[in-house]
Amino acid sequence: MRISFERAGGFAGISRTKTVDTADIPANEADLLPQLVEASDFFNLPEKITASTAQADRFQYTLTVEDEGRKHTVTVSEAALPGTLRPLIEWLQKR
């Protein structure tokens, strides 16, 4: 499994990107990552998740997950972040 992650916006407007591949991380983390993706129901989320009203200085996250021939990208605003996706976002930000 490979995840590309970008966090953009915020007060300073700085963009941060990273890519995580389960083949390149310790086994305990490589086991946890697919569980977080599955718990978020990632492959069934819409491509864009936005808040009903725009809010200044909020982050926007773009995640692309590639796994077993599947590829899906989701862009979500911080204000509209589904609770099921939050653990995955938090894990990626700590890496």
Side-chain angles (χ1 to χ4, degrees):
M1 177 177 288
R2 179 182 168 111
I3 299 180
S4 299
F5 173 71
E6 177 183 14
R7 184 187 79 181
F11 180 73
I14 297 171
S15 178
R16 294 178 50 198
T17 61
K18 67 177 71 176
T19 300
V20 178
D21 192 319
T22 54
D24 300 332
I25 60 177
N28 62 326
E29 293 182 28
D31 291 341
L32 178 61
L33 191 54
Q35 293 173 20
L36 292 170
V37 170
E38 185 176 332
S40 72
D41 199 23
F42 187 83
F43 285 97
N44 291 314
L45 292 174
E47 290 182 14
K48 290 200 181 282
I49 305 172
T50 57
S52 57
T53 58
Q55 297 178 352
D57 300 329
R58 292 291 194 140
F59 291 115
Q60 178 171 295
Y61 305 102
T62 302
L63 293 92
T64 300
V65 176
E66 300 173 65
D67 186 42
E68 298 180 0
R70 298 183 296 171
K71 182 177 179 179
H72 185 57
T73 300
V74 173
T75 300
V76 58
S77 65
E78 181 181 26
L81 187 63
T84 57
L85 192 54
R86 185 172 304 280
L88 177 59
I89 297 282
E90 289 173 352
W91 186 91
L92 289 164
Q93 289 186 106
K94 290 177 184 175
R95 290 265 324 133

